[in-house]
Amino acid sequence: MTTETLRVTELADRLVVTLDRPERRNAIDQRMVDDLHAICERLEREPRLLILTGTEGVFASGADIAELRERTGDDARRSINATVFTRIAELPMPVIAALDGYALGGGAELAYAADFRIGTARLRIGNPETSLGIIAAAGALWRLPQLVGHPLAAEMTMAGRVLTGEEALAAGLVSDLFEPGDLVAGAHALADRIAANDPLATQYTKRVLRAPLADHPAAEQEAQAVLFESDEKHRRMTEFLERRRR
């Protein structure tokens, strides 16, 4: 599935998608958006974990400014980047963003759409869109406050504060830091822990975590009702009880 803008490594339980426009610091253009939609289409049909990462010490420097400059009000209403980021966020199985170097603007918003973010000390993540005369309209203005709280989100989106890797870790925006050479291995280690669990239970957990507050506790009850009837639940619990007897 490798494309003009993405390098794709396929494993039995996950895809590793590497943003691959190093000559443009992995700026997100229309081709990359289209390629990410194709990845989503496949993972919607065949649910697997997704690891997103960058190349040459850069996750994604933002949206492609040359394209962005020519976009019109009608383009804004089409939500080109926001639509694919939301689709990534809503994939059935978890998404891990492995962040090194710049994750700015649209690159940061892509990272915010992931379920897990890990990084390196040289990570620089933020949303400087207002310096270009626009707003962060692909998810930052509502996802970021949920992730780090309103005061820090306001500073990042209105005052242009860019967090270092250590600052992102302290703010809870990333959950762990690795040396650059160990970052992808760290993502795989996290994916391995997720993959050891029941995939259906993981999918329901993600779905219920994302449900609006008004849907709880009914969302938990309905998901648990399905899982209580599953063969995998019976198998795993039987194995657990047998281990205790030994």
Side-chain angles (χ1 to χ4, degrees):
M1 288 182 64
T2 297
T3 70
E4 282 187 71
T5 69
L6 306 174
R7 283 192 280 113
V8 182
T9 301
E10 185 170 352
L11 302 174
D13 59 1
R14 71 198 67 166
L15 291 184
V16 181
V17 173
T18 303
L19 310 184
D20 191 23
R21 296 187 73 210
E23 74 285 355
R24 299 300 298 272
R25 294 187 174 183
N26 294 338
I28 300 168
D29 66 351
Q30 184 64 60
R31 289 177 305 165
M32 187 180 287
V33 167
D34 294 341
D35 291 342
L36 288 170
H37 274 298
I39 294 291
C40 289
E41 182 179 1
R42 181 162 187 189
L43 292 176
E44 289 159 355
R45 286 187 285 106
E46 305 169 11
R48 279 184 279 180
L49 292 158
L50 173 61
I51 296 173
L52 291 169
T53 191
T55 47
E56 299 185 10
V58 176
F59 180 68
S61 60
D64 191 299
I65 302 301
E67 280 192 2
L68 209 55
R69 184 184 61 181
E70 304 307 316
R71 287 184 179 168
T72 66
D74 287 341
D75 291 321
R77 293 182 183 94
R78 289 169 53 212
S79 300
I80 295 169
N81 288 4
T83 298
V84 74
F85 296 166
T86 295
R87 195 172 181 184
I88 288 168
E90 293 177 351
L91 286 171
M93 288 290 283
V95 178
I96 301 168
L99 310 171
D100 188 21
Y102 293 118
L104 298 173
E109 291 177 299
L110 173 56
Y112 305 154
D115 300 286
F116 301 90
R117 284 161 299 281
I118 61 174
T120 69
R122 65 187 185 184
L123 171 63
R124 297 295 182 269
I125 186 167
N127 291 92
E129 281 90 343
T130 54
S131 70
L132 295 171
I134 59 173
I135 65 171
L141 296 181
W142 61 276
R143 286 196 180 100
L144 189 56
Q146 294 175 354
L147 294 169
V148 302
H150 185 273
L152 181 55
E155 189 174 359
M156 293 173 67
T157 56
M158 289 192 281
R161 180 175 174 184
V162 174
L163 302 186
T164 65
E166 289 88 350
E167 290 170 333
L169 180 64
L173 188 54
V174 299
S175 59
D176 208 348
L177 294 181
F178 296 86
E179 292 297 321
D182 297 329
L183 179 63
V184 173
H188 278 294
L190 176 56
D192 289 342
R193 296 202 301 274
I194 298 167
N197 300 321
D198 173 26
L200 185 61
T202 298
Q203 290 180 47
Y204 272 109
T205 298
K206 174 171 177 172
R207 187 182 306 174
V208 174
L209 272 172
R210 292 178 50 81
L213 185 61
D215 290 354
H216 299 274
E220 285 90 343
Q221 294 166 356
E222 290 305 313
Q224 198 75 302
V226 173
L227 293 168
F228 270 14
E229 300 292 335
S230 72
D231 292 340
E232 186 66 7
K233 168 250 188 178
H234 189 271
R235 184 188 71 78
R236 285 174 177 261
M237 290 191 178
T238 299
E239 286 185 356
F240 175 83
L241 293 170
E242 289 175 349
R243 287 196 300 271
R244 286 187 61 182
R245 294 190 191 103
R246 292 174 191 154

